[in-house]
Amino acid sequence: MPDNAPGPAAAVLCGLAGWVPPRVVTNEELAERLDTDDAWIRTRTGIRRRHVIEPGQATSDLAVEAGCRALRSAGADSVDAVIVTTTTPDRPCPATAPTVAARLGLAGAAAFDVGAVCTGFVYGLATAAGLITSGVAGRVLLIGADAYSTIVDPLDRANAIIFGDGAGAVVLRAGHADEPGAVGRFDLGSDGAHEDLITVAAGGSRQRSTGDEVRRGDRHFAMRGNEVYRHAVTRTAESARTVLRTAGWTIDDVDRFVPHQANLRILHSVTDDLGLPRERCVANVDSVGNTGAASIPLALADAAARQTLRPGDRLLLTAFGGGLTWGSCLLTWPEMAVHTGPEPAPHTHPHDRGEETAS
Ligand code: UT7
């Protein structure tokens, strides 16, 4: 290969946006209806508030908002494929992605959903990269969108405090592995022996085929939080180490660690375990809660808008979720058009000024 030949084919990040619905739910508001308080929530999770959709809204509404801003960020008016990764699809059938594609004016593009619970965004990135490097697609819109408020029991204090609604989206184009923004290496894994740790029992073929009446609680999200917590810390750190090893990176090569925003204590435990200074860990869980498949692109969009992510930064993305599933990805942050909107008032978060976090 001549010296100036491009590197191997890769999917390159070229657009990014995050969006959360305007309605804010503070810890104090939750404490009015649940046996909990702001201090407990902040100490155990690091969360101060989260955003939720209005009655009548659905995941596709979040996905469309983030998707159109990501397309604008990429300067793209067409893509070959739209992937929506979500645990809260608009309905079991059909997938949410074709609806989102049509509403974005992208009818005709391939469109499908990816389900990997909170690991969905990393799985979706790997899927998008596969479509691009195999030559099936030249440009892909990947949206992580979840509306957990539609599946969490509002009276379940353990879960109602953690989750928030939101969407984050990226656009990927065909390029080369040595370009900034090229995604990969990846580490992806699962362990279905622990499928019962995070579940929504009703709505799928298993319960329907028994013919039993659906119990009210089975429609709700259930999580054995304490056990999940332990798995999250160990599996996330293991996956991060694996992807670093396969890429020949050391932990010192990581400028920004962007983990799934599950709980600030988990983020800090993993950061410490990896031997990374905590200031390299990107965290916005305090203001959006755990937004499932949206959490990594929302954290990226927030950090880009705040300019704590800079072109050339080497990033380690790591996620963990139901399944159990986990995944990690490495990339170098590219130059990208980031629209931060009007200047924030002192001490306000971008979400206070509207819903656009970056585009
Ligand atoms: O995103 C996918 C992956 N998800 C995660 O990674 C989430 C992982 N898990 C967690 O983040 C934490 O386990 C929770 C935040 C869900 C719970 O925190 P914890 O420190 O693990 O609490 P715990 O479940 O061990 O409960 C401790 C106590 C219990 O009371 P007793 O039995 O000791 O009397 C709970 O009933 O805290 C109680 N509790 C609460 N108290 C006040 C549980 N939720 C609340 C609450 N307010 N909201």
Side-chain angles (χ1 to χ4, degrees):
M1 187 184 286
D3 281 351
N4 61 353
V12 177
L13 200 64
C14 62
L16 166 70
W19 197 83
V20 289
R23 165 106 166 84
V24 174
V25 176
T26 61
N27 292 348
E28 289 78 6
E29 183 178 337
L30 288 177
E32 286 170 15
R33 63 175 158 88
L34 295 169
D35 181 16
T36 190
D37 57 73
D38 174 55
W40 194 97
I41 301 171
R42 270 192 292 112
T43 316
R44 298 289 183 122
T45 70
I47 298 167
R48 293 171 186 274
R49 58 205 170 110
R50 69 288 295 143
H51 294 246
V52 298
I53 57 173
E54 299 292 345
Q57 288 186 307
T59 294
S60 62
D61 300 315
L62 299 167
V64 165
E65 295 286 354
C68 78
R69 288 167 170 80
L71 290 169
R72 207 192 309 149
S73 159
D77 55 13
S78 69
V79 297
D80 303 301
V82 176
I83 303 173
V84 173
T85 174
T86 184
T87 303
T88 58
D90 284 13
R91 66 248 129 181
C93 173
T96 302
T99 303
V100 172
R103 287 177 57 190
L104 289 170
L106 301 171
F112 59 97
D113 292 0
V114 165
V117 196
C118 295
T119 316
F121 184 74
V122 176
Y123 269 65
L125 265 187
T127 307
L131 289 176
I132 288 173
T133 55
S134 62
V136 172
R139 194 155 53 195
V140 177
L141 172 62
L142 166 66
I143 307 172
D146 266 316
Y148 271 88
S149 66
T150 62
I151 56 169
V152 169
D153 180 350
L155 300 178
D156 171 4
R157 67 174 180 172
N159 288 315
I161 60 154
I162 305 176
F163 289 97
D165 301 341
V170 294
V171 179
L172 297 130
R173 63 166 173 82
H176 300 284
D178 48 8
E179 287 184 64
V183 297
R185 307 279 185 121
F186 284 96
D187 171 64
L188 303 178
S190 75
D191 184 357
H194 298 287
E195 63 176 12
D196 55 337
L197 293 186
I198 297 177
T199 57
V200 178
S205 59
R206 173 70 64 197
Q207 202 178 65
R208 278 180 203 162
S209 67
T210 66
D212 294 339
E213 195 180 325
V214 176
R215 290 172 301 159
R216 183 176 177 275
D218 286 355
R219 296 186 196 281
H220 286 136
F221 177 87
M223 175 167 69
R224 305 219 306 257
N226 219 277
E227 285 170 71
V228 171
Y229 188 108
R230 287 198 296 276
H231 280 286
V233 171
T234 53
R235 310 268 192 175
T236 306
E238 272 169 26
S239 179
R241 286 201 178 89
T242 301
V243 79
L244 290 172
R245 194 168 53 246
T246 57
W249 289 23
T250 70
I251 198 67
D252 295 331
D253 293 322
V254 176
D255 298 309
R256 287 280 175 266
F257 175 44
V258 190
H260 163 53
Q261 309 284 306
N263 175 330
L264 194 62
R265 283 164 59 218
I266 295 177
L267 271 56
H268 284 164
S269 291
V270 176
T271 306
D272 295 349
D273 186 356
L274 291 173
L276 270 174
R278 285 189 184 177
E279 56 272 18
R280 290 199 205 164
C281 174
V282 170
N284 70 341
V285 68
D286 62 320
S287 57
V288 294
N290 180 341
T291 56
S295 93
I296 288 182
L298 266 180
L300 288 171
D302 266 2
R306 293 162 186 262
Q307 298 186 330
T308 52
L309 264 189
R310 294 173 195 283
D313 280 352
R314 289 159 302 180
L315 267 58
L316 164 61
L317 316 182
T318 306
F320 173 84
L324 300 172
T325 53
W326 56 85
S328 299
C329 171
L330 299 174
L331 75 148
T332 301
W333 196 245
E335 289 276 359
M336 212 164 15
V338 176
H339 170 65
T340 56
E343 277 301 302
H347 311 302
T348 64
H349 185 273
H351 300 305
D352 291 332
R353 314 190 302 274
E355 288 56 65
E356 191 170 340
T357 60
S359 66

